[in-house]
Amino acid sequence: MRFLSYSILRLAAASALAALLAGCSHPITMITETAPPRAVAHLIPKKVAYVMTDAQRDLQVTTAGGSGDRVSYYPYRDLEKSIRDALRGVYRNVIVVRTAGDAKANEAAGVSLVFTPQIKTDSSSSSWITWPPTSFTAEVLCVVSDTSGAEVTRVRATGNGTAEFGEFNGDYGLAARRAARQLTSQLSSEIRKNEKLR
């Protein structure tokens, strides 16, 4: 009976530990510190907007890290700078708005196009010892509309970032920020290539 009780106690402790580890979530950030170069002479002379609401900025996402842990971050808040930098790499003037379909507000602001981003992210790690993700993917699909809210086209960009254990040095969101930098560059490139966005 004593052995049975001890076995049950061990099983309960192991289950509690597993639940604790599975529920462990470490905060990271995807925000990039530097913007890509901006060639002012080659910018399209238009004023454009991107949509970002407070609710989107407050949306927290949790994805996989290493050693059974998970990481949490705010994809819209963190990638807002990347989206803005991508647009500023193409257009002369960029502003933020709360909705794409407010024709009066768009006309009053002098906006030609409105970009509404939809963001997806994922992460993983090859490590069974440390929690920071060694691989990170960020994808943005921008639905682009005119001032009245009618869809003009769509542009998609993906950023993939990797980082090894020896590179972290306290910078636990390194893979995520590398993904964000790649996403910024690809989004600018996709916008430039789209004839409907000139």
Side-chain angles (χ1 to χ4, degrees), residues 32 159-164 167 173-183:
T32 56
N160 296 296
T162 59
E164 299 301 323
E167 296 181 274
L174 183 58
R177 279 198 298 285
R178 285 176 174 171
R181 282 195 291 271
Q182 189 180 87
L183 181 142

Side-chain angles (χ1 to χ4, degrees), residues 121-163:
T121 55
D122 199 9
S123 63
S124 62
S125 176
S126 56
S127 174
W128 289 98
I129 301 171
T130 58
W131 64 262
T134 57
S135 179
F136 201 99
T137 301
E139 179 183 310
V140 61
L141 168 66
C142 284
V143 178
V144 189
S145 55
D146 61 20
T147 53
S148 69
E151 184 174 324
V152 175
T153 188
R154 297 183 176 206
V155 287
R156 185 188 304 270
T158 302
N160 296 296
T162 59

